[in-house]
Amino acid sequence: MRVFITIFASLSFSMGPTEIVLATETDSLMDAYYKQKVALKKEADAVLKSLQSGDWSIIIDHLEKVNRRYPKGLERTDKSTPRGQNFDTMDTEWRAWSESFRNPKGKKSKGKTPDWIKQVLDNDCSKYLAQKTKNKSNVAEIFVMDRLGGTSCTIEPTSDFDQGDEAKFQIPRSTRKVHQGELKKDKSSNSVSIQVSYPIVEKGQFVGAVTIGLTLD
């Protein structure tokens, strides 16, 4: 019994400082993590400001054109699109193409790109995004979503077409506030990055959202 008590007492005293050290290290790591998130948020804000200070009307005009194709009052629950398909069908086709876009070594595939996907990748809005971010090496991705969450324009193919079921779209849409994700490995950019998403409001109406993905230096 004395041996057990001695061992228990020894463990109790030795665990105290260990727990304090671990807690201190954890607090330090968390503090560094959140400081990094704040810094990346500021960088994303700067990218957005750069877009807005340029020909922001290119994005607005494009969204108005895309959103006009949706029947008035159409919501995501209707799941229909101007192409006569639903979001699930388009998303499945986009995902399959996106997977074949790069081979296992990361090189682009020579597979044929469907015409409707070409229209997303090559429109004036996508070209504008590419132009404004071409000298920003830590911008891994930037894409604009229409009012129902469909990918409307982008500098690089996203992993899926339908963003409407994700927080990056839902929070800006429902709250009109910025949504910042967590650091993670992103399939689209193939890097550790963080996404910051902003609502796009025109004349008091939500018309879409823009997501800016930044990589760690």
Side-chain angles (χ1 to χ4, degrees):
M1 180 65 71
R2 288 181 180 177
V3 174
F4 174 79
I5 293 173
T6 301
I7 294 174
F8 180 79
S10 176
L11 286 173
S12 297
F13 282 108
S14 65
M15 286 175 65
T18 302
E19 289 176 347
I20 292 173
V21 170
L22 288 175
T24 302
E25 290 178 350
T26 301
D27 290 344
S28 179
L29 288 172
M30 291 299 290
D31 185 52
Y33 177 80
Y34 285 113
K35 283 182 178 178
Q36 198 162 42
K37 285 189 67 176
V38 170
L40 289 171
K41 169 64 166 52
K42 289 181 179 179
E43 290 187 42
D45 288 346
V47 173
L48 179 66
K49 186 175 181 180
S50 174
L51 291 173
Q52 293 174 327
S53 64
D55 292 325
W56 180 250
S57 60
I58 292 177
I59 294 176
I60 298 300
D61 291 346
H62 177 72
L63 283 174
E64 287 182 351
K65 181 180 178 181
V66 172
N67 289 332
R68 200 179 300 127
R69 297 173 185 170
Y70 294 121
K72 189 175 181 179
L74 179 73
E75 294 299 332
R76 279 188 51 78
T77 51
D78 298 323
K79 288 287 187 178
S80 59
T81 71
R83 298 179 66 244
Q85 296 176 309
N86 60 40
F87 268 87
D88 291 337
T89 302
M90 294 178 74
D91 195 52
T92 298
E93 186 175 1
W94 181 288
R95 284 172 180 267
W97 171 80
S98 182
E99 286 292 328
S100 66
F101 182 74
R102 296 179 177 84
N103 64 28
K105 293 183 179 180
K107 296 181 180 179
K108 294 182 179 180
S109 167
K110 295 182 180 179
K112 184 178 179 181
T113 302
D115 289 340
W116 73 273
I117 295 180
K118 285 182 181 179
Q119 292 174 8
V120 174
L121 301 176
D122 299 333
N123 58 52
D124 289 342
C125 177
S126 292
K127 292 175 182 177
Y128 177 65
L129 295 178
Q131 174 201 340
K132 296 295 288 185
T133 58
K134 64 181 179 181
N135 295 322
K136 301 182 185 300
S137 59
N138 67 329
V139 175
E141 59 180 349
I142 178 169
F143 55 91
V144 173
M145 299 157 275
D146 61 38
R147 74 175 183 85
L148 295 186
T151 301
S152 183
C153 50
T154 179
I155 61 172
E156 283 289 335
T158 53
S159 56
D160 52 0
F161 165 76
D162 183 10
Q163 314 291 337
D165 58 348
E166 300 182 34
K168 72 183 75 169
F169 173 79
Q170 292 179 343
I171 291 178
R173 184 192 186 197
S174 61
T175 67
R176 304 295 195 270
K177 294 181 180 179
V178 178
H179 172 260
Q180 184 173 6
E182 303 297 334
L183 288 168
K184 65 178 183 178
K185 180 70 174 291
D186 185 75
K187 291 182 180 179
S188 300
S189 59
N190 196 33
S191 59
V192 177
S193 61
I194 194 167
Q195 293 181 331
V196 185
S197 302
Y198 304 82
I200 300 177
V201 178
E202 181 71 6
K203 298 177 182 178
Q205 297 294 317
F206 175 83
V207 296
V210 56
T211 292
I212 300 170
L214 298 172
T215 57
L216 293 177
D217 293 331

